[in-house]
Amino acid sequence: MTDQTHYDIAIIGGGIMGCSTALRLASGGMSAIVLDQGDLGQGASGVNAGTLSLQIKRVKLMPYALKGHHLWEEMGDAVGFAKTGGYTLAFNAREAEMLHERQTMKAKAGAPIEFVSNNRLRAAEPNLTQKVQAASFCPEDGYANSSLTGQYYRGRLQDAGIPYREGCKVTAIDQGAAFTLHTAQGKITATRILLAAGAWLKPLAALLDVDLPVNARVNTVSVTERMPPLMSSVIGHATGLLTMKQKANGTVLVGGGWQGLGTPQDGRGTVNTATVKPNLALAQYAVPALAKARVTRSWTGFEANVPDFYPLAGALPNVPNAFVLGCVRGGYTIGPYIGQLMGDSILGREPEMPLFDPGRDFEKDTI
Amino acid sequence: MSDHFDIAIVGAGPAGGNAALTAAQSGLRVVLLDEQPAAGGQVWRGKSPSILSAPMTPETKAGNDLRHAIDQSQINHMSGTRVWDIRRDGDKWSLQILCDAQSLQITATSVILATGAREYVQPVTGWTTPGVIGLAGATALFKQSLSLPGDKTVVSGTGPLVFFVASEIRRLGGTVAAIVTPNTRADWARALPSMLQHPKLLARGGVWMADLMLAGVPILWGHAVSKVCGDDHVTSVQTQALESDKQGPIFEADSLCLGHGLIPQIEAAQMLGVPIHHDPALGGWVPDVSPDGVTPVKNLYLCGDGCGIRGALAAGLQGTLTGARVARDLGKTAPAPSIRAWQRAAGFGKAMTGLSIVKPKLEALTSDDTILCRCESLKRSDIRAEITTGAKSTNAVKSGRRAGMGPCGGKYCQTVIAALIAKETGKPIGAIPPSTPRPPLRPVPLGQAAGDFHYDDLPIPKPAPL
Ligand SMILES: Cc1cc2nc3c(=O)[nH]c(=O)nc-3n(C[C@H](O)[C@@H](O)[C@H](O)COP(=O)(O)OP(=O)(O)OC[C@H]3O[C@@H](n4cnc5c(N)ncnc54)[C@H](O)[C@@H]3O)c2cc1C
Ligand SMILES: Cc1cc2nc3c(=O)[nH]c(=O)nc-3n(C[C@H](O)[C@H](O)[C@H](O)COP(=O)(O)OP(=O)(O)OC[C@H]3O[C@@H](n4cnc5c(N)ncnc54)[C@H](O)[C@@H]3O)c2cc1C
């Protein structure tokens, strides 16, 4: 690595979006640098529930998620990938109806989802509650270990010869013939920039006088101590408010998007016991034997979105040579793939699937 | 019983106990929470009922006095109660507690954290062999159940605790194979001026030493345990002279008490947003707090060893200062005790803590094959590999290797891992903060954390858009 200070592109944000795009850009011949205010992969990309489930993806993002699943499978052991298949459960008539409606649409969008009988469900998952009213199954579902995101991408960037800087917050951006980034570690210049700052996109874009309507959700995940085998596939709930899996080491991870407290500006966010309790209750309702498992940790992460809950992926409005990638629902699953599309677009190639114009009208335009 | 209190105090040791007594005297409603069966904390730990007739030590006496005073007061003392989460809820604090296997919530206007300390052990090869226990941990055995760590014990570690533990083992009829302490006589000579301020404590130390010398127990100054041998149980303990690196004697023993000082338990304070800084003379990372317990977080106070290792005497005095301060802040009349006595006691305590600052030669006895993270069986070489491939923070090492994700939550590995990161990256140890603490403060059975519920009453929000 040389002591170069000018790059073809500077990527601000070392989460899954920034890192996967950097890899694509470097393979296309651009000199790139990745800057993160903290460590690589310690934002949403490193603390998420790691569920790779087509059953909880948005219908219109299904083609992207399917591609994402294949990339995760290729990454394999290095990211703790496991294709276990996944069951989504309904516990009453209302949920059964919701399950039917939602999973049918997702199946039509290309996900190999089927509805399964109680007998089949019990044979596969004997520790599930007897109170299941309806269930769907997707053989493609599984999980990866999000804790490994930082370790994995650090290695990939090093192998690709892409420099990265940690503890390097971008605090100001000057525009001119090139961009000059003011960082905690001095100035860096680049011909192009990619904003990939996750839940911090709004303050980052504001440095360029662009107002991105980004909000942050504060998702919660909990984990238990190691347990004897209780479930072998990813377990979800018709509403999406429970995702659960038992890792190879026996720990059980419980998520589902219950909301904690705090804002991205104030630090890492905090768990709200008032929402963790129903999250854990739902887990226990699904697998009663979990009652005895000791919870060792609950934590939160910030998931960014815009009002229409579709990605920002493309050119930043009104700032030539600036791009933005973020706010992808199910972004851990889709990140490695949409990063490739973003990279291709910046390299001037036609991406395999369409991107999502960050300049759209979020109230009116349809995706 | 209403479940709102003026003050909730976590920890009923000398610090929390005295804070509670002082605050209750001003007429405030105080709840004192501790997971132990009786008040007294680590140092004044209560005896289990089976050994109540055992001879009285000064610790038992001080503890009995505290327990008696608490019983006589208006304090609502909830023993056997584990606090697993605390958070701000509007203008009050809400605390999640586990009591008789039941999950309850209480609220309080102000919270005092008096959570004390835990033990530090500098890992050496074999330190996880059954038969090795903590030096401070051993005192809990004696106090609670009068039991011994084994038939023949090597006692090794820093500060005054080695001599106390060795003399207790002898008093209870065990055999001490040797005392092995990294401290030199010169270390002690440097601490002497602060000790002279506390002749009573000094005299007790003198009694332990006299007993040990009379009994002919070998004392190896400036030495450390370099290796613990034995497959499924300790069989012998190897020693080494620290300055010369020369191998010392090998002692046959079936047990080893090993400890290198105490670390403040700061997780609860950190989780609630109290800034921390590194001060080796106080045991490592300590929260920002005034002598009378005030923190930058509104209505949150800290006292005792949990905000810096200053010892039991200082902990009690700071408890009194803090209890009075909270009472005054809540609009009650309460005395404003002088901080002089606390400062004096703190000076003594700090001198003792200083004896436990890890010497580089002691650190060097941790080898690449030594287990650093017990929960995940990670050796130093595993952690080092993670650092050399780019993990530069305790959070990054935790994510990459699970060091700190096991049941102990990193309590036993974070200090040594931070020291290793500092060494490998050439940064000062004060630039490597501990990993982000997460609730629960103690592991909680999922069913108890969830509490009783009816499925139909679960507050299920609107599902995500399709
Ligand atoms: C194992 C051990 C043994 C020690 N033995 C001695 C000794 O023999 N002599 C000596 O001079 N010093 C000893 N010390 C030092 C000791 O810490 C004293 O300096 C003194 O006890 C400090 O008083 P304190 O009130 O600050 O904390 P402590 O006495 O440690 O009291 C803290 C209390 O908080 C409780 N607590 C913490 N977190 C929670 C929670 N989440 N929920 C419920 N309760 C909680 C603990 O159960 C504990 O009783 C020992 C320390 C340790 C760690
Ligand atoms: C708790 C939780 C659970 C989730 N569960 C799942 C799931 O099970 N499956 C799934 O597919 N998706 C899940 N998601 C969503 C997924 O994690 C995110 O969509 C994805 O990780 C977002 O990646 P990112 O790179 O955009 O953001 P991040 O990973 O947050 O990365 C942004 C980075 O930018 C850095 N940064 C910000 N500002 C600056 C600046 N000024 N200068 C320098 N650097 C800066 C930050 O430090 C951060 O590292 C979950 C999200 C959360 C929070």
Side-chain angles (χ1 to χ4, degrees), chain B residues 132-432:
Chain B
V132 181
I133 64 167
L135 190 60
T139 67
L141 271 186
F142 311 147
K143 290 175 204 164
Q144 213 159 341
S145 58
L146 294 187
S147 54
L148 285 166
D151 291 334
K152 196 173 178 195
T153 311
V154 172
V155 181
S156 178
T158 47
L161 215 52
V162 261
F163 302 108
F164 173 59
V165 168
S167 95
E168 283 294 290
I169 289 176
R170 282 191 29 75
R171 196 170 67 86
L172 295 175
T175 304
V176 177
I179 296 176
V180 182
T181 178
N183 294 128
T184 58
R185 288 199 179 85
D187 293 338
W188 278 99
R190 273 191 294 277
L192 196 62
S194 347
M195 285 162 55
L196 290 173
Q197 305 254 330
H198 290 274
K200 256 200 210 151
L201 293 171
L202 194 58
R204 269 190 89 200
V207 173
W208 304 334
M209 294 299 285
D211 165 62
L212 295 165
M213 286 190 194
L214 277 178
V217 174
I219 303 181
L220 278 71
W221 301 94
H223 278 64
V225 169
S226 53
K227 188 176 173 192
V228 185
C229 305
D231 291 333
D232 42 23
H233 210 273
V234 176
T235 52
S236 66
V237 174
Q238 278 185 24
T239 63
Q240 183 166 320
L242 288 181
E243 264 324 302
S244 64
D245 294 330
K246 273 209 200 105
Q247 199 183 326
I250 297 175
F251 297 98
E252 306 228 319
D254 64 357
S255 48
L256 166 67
C257 300
L258 186 65
H260 303 99
L262 302 173
I263 305 177
Q265 303 220 70
I266 60 171
E267 290 75 20
Q270 259 183 298
M271 265 166 40
L272 297 177
V274 181
I276 57 170
H277 64 274
H278 194 264
D279 186 346
L282 287 175
W285 289 93
V286 289
D288 296 358
V289 53
S290 74
D292 56 355
V294 179
T295 73
V297 178
K298 194 169 170 247
N299 291 344
L300 180 66
Y301 302 80
L302 305 176
C303 56
D305 273 5
C307 45
I309 310 298
R310 299 178 176 90
L313 189 58
L317 291 166
Q318 195 177 22
T320 304
L321 288 168
T322 306
R325 173 65 194 244
V326 183
R328 277 182 279 123
D329 286 356
L330 289 176
K332 295 285 176 183
T333 35
S338 141
I339 63 165
R340 287 277 310 284
W342 173 75
Q343 278 169 333
R344 244 168 32 99
F348 172 79
K350 272 179 89 163
M352 296 300 106
T353 304
L355 290 167
S356 289
I357 294 176
V358 176
K359 300 181 177 191
K361 291 269 188 165
L362 177 65
E363 206 173 355
L365 292 177
T366 304
S367 72
D368 262 355
D369 285 339
T370 312
I371 300 267
L372 298 195
C373 164
R374 298 183 80 139
C375 298
E376 302 290 328
S377 297
L378 295 167
K379 294 182 175 169
R380 188 177 76 162
S381 53
D382 299 319
I383 307 289
R384 252 178 77 175
E386 195 63 17
I387 300 168
T388 47
T389 55
K392 303 282 186 257
S393 68
T394 48
N395 277 328
V397 171
K398 177 175 164 183
S399 297
R401 290 288 171 145
R402 292 187 53 81
M405 290 191 185
C408 94
K411 294 187 178 71
Y412 298 103
C413 64
Q414 291 301 298
T415 303
V416 64
I417 288 175
L420 190 58
I421 297 174
K423 193 166 158 224
E424 296 283 333
T425 59
K427 286 194 189 147
I429 183 74
I432 316 289

Side-chain angles (χ1 to χ4, degrees), chain B residues 10-16 33-36 40-45 59 81-84 114-119 136-137 139-140 143 161 164 262 265 303-306 309-313 315-316 441-442:
Chain B
V10 187
L33 308 149
D34 198 304
E35 61 191 343
Q36 303 293 336
Q42 294 293 0
V43 59
W44 300 337
R45 179 180 287 271
E59 279 78 23
T81 300
R82 188 165 272 203
V83 179
W84 60 271
T115 49
R118 63 168 166 268
E119 183 159 35
T139 67
K143 290 175 204 164
L161 215 52
F164 173 59
L262 302 173
Q265 303 220 70
C303 56
D305 273 5
I309 310 298
R310 299 178 176 90
L313 189 58
L441 289 165
R442 301 277 193 273

Side-chain angles (χ1 to χ4, degrees), chain A residues 137-158:
Chain A
F137 177 72
C138 177
E140 279 296 308
D141 290 358
Y143 61 83
N145 181 355
S146 75
S147 304
L148 296 176
T149 303
Q151 184 195 63
Y152 176 78
Y153 279 107
R154 241 183 261 125
R156 291 282 309 269
L157 295 180
Q158 286 165 6

Side-chain angles (χ1 to χ4, degrees), chain A residues 39 42 58-59 91-92 95 98 102 105-106 147-148 151 154 158 164 166 224 226 237 239 241 249 251 258 268-269 271-274 277-278 280-282 284-285 290-291 293-300 309-310 329, chain B residues 84-85 87-88 96 103 271 375-376 386 389-393 395-396 398-402 404-407 436 438-440 442-451 453 455-456 458-466:
Chain A
D39 293 329
Q42 287 285 332
R58 298 198 68 181
V59 170
F91 297 128
N92 57 34
E95 291 167 5
M98 183 190 291
R102 297 192 146 221
M105 286 177 73
K106 294 180 193 202
S147 304
L148 296 176
Q151 184 195 63
R154 241 183 261 125
Q158 286 165 6
Y164 63 83
E166 299 180 311
T224 72
R226 292 165 195 236
H237 186 248
T239 57
L241 287 154
N249 67 10
T251 59
W258 292 77
R268 287 192 142 212
V271 165
N272 182 354
T273 331
K277 287 181 162 211
L280 297 177
L282 208 51
Q284 186 193 335
Y285 193 80
L290 270 177
R294 293 188 310 165
V295 176
T296 51
R297 243 167 324 119
S298 297
W299 66 92
T300 55
F309 288 92
Y310 285 109
R329 212 178 164 84
Chain B
W84 60 271
D85 193 30
R87 77 187 159 92
R88 193 83 211 155
Q96 304 295 326
S103 179
M271 265 166 40
C375 298
E376 302 290 328
E386 195 63 17
T389 55
K392 303 282 186 257
S393 68
N395 277 328
K398 177 175 164 183
S399 297
R401 290 288 171 145
R402 292 187 53 81
M405 290 191 185
T436 315
R438 301 294 195 180
R442 301 277 193 273
V444 193
L446 186 143
Q448 288 170 23
F453 65 92
Y455 183 76
D456 294 331
L458 288 178
I460 306 242
K462 214 172 93 216
L466 253 174

Side-chain angles (χ1 to χ4, degrees), chain A residues 179-199:
Chain A
F179 293 97
T180 304
L181 308 182
H182 300 247
T183 78
Q185 298 176 22
K187 287 180 193 171
I188 291 163
T189 66
T191 312
R192 302 169 193 79
I193 52 174
L194 172 68
L195 313 187

